[in-house]
Amino acid sequence: MRHKINVHEGSATKDAVVPEVEVERLAYEVVNPLFKNGKKYETGSTIQLDEATAASFLNSGDIKEKS
Amino acid sequence: MTTTIAHGGVTANAKTLLGRIKYALGKFFPSWVGQPFHMTITITHADGTKEARRVFNTVTTAGRNGIADQILASPTLGKPTHMAVGTGTGGTTTLNAEVDRNALTSKLRSGAVVTMIGDWAAGDATAALTEAGVLTASTSGDLWLYTTFAVVNKAAADALQIQWTLTIS
């Protein structure tokens, strides 16, 4: 999603586009079913997660590194 | 960096006189007012600014049973392990319209206070959030803690952190 914002400089107006945030995601194997962003991931499926989110799920044993 | 904190109750209007009274009383008589736990929702925007909101919550029957169960020699009920957010209201045994559930980032005890933290990174749980809960499993599970709040708009670039404080009193 790209957001368009009107920027006012004095009496002039121009458009600025806020760049999308690129979040690096890696693939992990689901150990316990997960519910992420409105979608259920069953055991054995692959899920793409950012590093921080993956860390908590790895710690809880819900996912594992893909072999 | 700007941090805005609002004090609020379970209803959308966080600045009512009743909400302020409940918040004040809850600090001294948490059990008496029936709100022994609190949570803080913090949104961190892409530019580094933060918005925070404090909210009362409901301890469910499952939560009360679960706390009691942990005293047994061999507890059979699950412990809180995950935190979920959603766009509904009125959840009792689960969130009404769950959007996303993450494993707890941390769970620490200090005295009779347990602090549980859930984090959502940019790109996760992007929605107009109105409810949150603490549960005992990655899906389904028992809902221990639940609350609703005035809409928190989590944009794709925002990070969300919920700090839930459970006080045994």
Side-chain angles (χ1 to χ4, degrees), chain B residues 29 68 102 119 129:
Chain B
F29 306 103
N102 277 351
D119 286 289
L129 303 172

Side-chain angles (χ1 to χ4, degrees), chain A residues 3 21 23 25 32-40 50 52-53 56-57 59-60 62, chain B residues 46 82 98-105 119-126 138-139 157:
Chain A
H3 304 278
V21 175
V23 179
R25 294 173 185 273
N32 296 319
L34 300 177
F35 191 77
K36 296 294 298 169
N37 296 307
K39 179 181 177 182
K40 188 172 183 182
D50 63 89
T53 304
S56 61
F57 278 127
N59 190 46
S60 64
D62 292 327
Chain B
H82 293 73
E98 185 172 335
V99 170
D100 197 277
R101 189 182 303 194
N102 277 351
L104 294 174
T105 305
D119 286 289
W120 283 265
D124 239 6
T126 301
S138 59
T139 56

Side-chain angles (χ1 to χ4, degrees), chain B residues 14 24 33 42 75 82 96 98 103 115 124 133 147 149-150 153 160 164:
Chain B
V33 296
T42 305
H82 293 73
N96 190 35
E98 185 172 335
T115 301
D124 239 6
T147 191
F149 40 83
N153 287 304
L160 168 70
W164 220 309

Side-chain angles (χ1 to χ4, degrees), chain B residues 74-144:
Chain B
S74 302
T76 56
L77 302 179
K79 300 176 182 179
T81 54
H82 293 73
M83 198 178 289
V85 290
T87 57
T89 57
T92 52
T93 58
T94 185
L95 272 65
N96 190 35
E98 185 172 335
V99 170
D100 197 277
R101 189 182 303 194
N102 277 351
L104 294 174
T105 305
S106 64
K107 183 170 57 175
L108 299 170
R109 180 185 65 83
S110 176
V113 179
V114 177
T115 301
M116 292 171 277
I117 293 178
D119 286 289
W120 283 265
D124 239 6
T126 301
L129 303 172
T130 55
E131 63 177 347
V134 174
L135 302 106
T136 60
S138 59
T139 56
S140 301
D142 293 327
L143 180 68
W144 273 44

